[in-house]
Amino acid sequence: MSQVFSEETHRNLLARIPHCTGREISDWLRTVDDGPALFRFEEKVSWLRSEHDLAYGHAKAIIHEYDLRRAARKLR
C-alpha cells in the first residue's frame, strides 16, 4: 500500500470527489472492486483514469482509500 498524500490532503480529496464526479466514494470503491484484478497501485490509478476519465489526484485518492479499507478488512 502506498501513502500518496498527507492524511489531511487525502480526506480533503475524498470529500470533493462526490461533487467533482457526481458519484459517492462507496460507488467508486465498488467500481474498483468490480474492476480488473490489477496488483500495482499505479496500474489501478491508470485504469481508473482511462476508463472513467478521472483526474489523477482523485484516482489516487480512491485507490488509496480502497487499499486502506481492504487492509482493515484483512486485520479483522
Side-chain angles (χ1 to χ4, degrees), residues 10-76:
H10 177 67
R11 293 289 158 216
N12 288 337
L13 275 169
L14 285 181
R16 287 194 307 259
I17 287 172
H19 174 73
C20 294
T21 67
R23 293 176 62 185
E24 295 297 321
I25 296 300
S26 59
D27 293 338
W28 285 114
L29 297 177
R30 275 192 301 278
T31 297
V32 174
D33 204 36
D34 294 340
L38 302 171
F39 295 103
R40 292 180 51 235
F41 183 87
E42 287 298 327
E43 288 176 324
K44 294 175 194 176
V45 171
S46 293
W47 172 76
L48 264 185
R49 292 186 70 210
S50 65
E51 288 294 314
H52 300 282
D53 198 31
L54 288 175
Y56 184 66
H58 290 155
K60 284 180 79 170
I62 290 166
I63 297 301
H64 182 61
E65 185 67 16
Y66 178 82
D67 287 347
L68 287 173
R69 291 183 187 196
R70 190 180 69 193
R73 284 191 310 258
K74 287 182 179 179
L75 292 176
R76 293 182 193 179

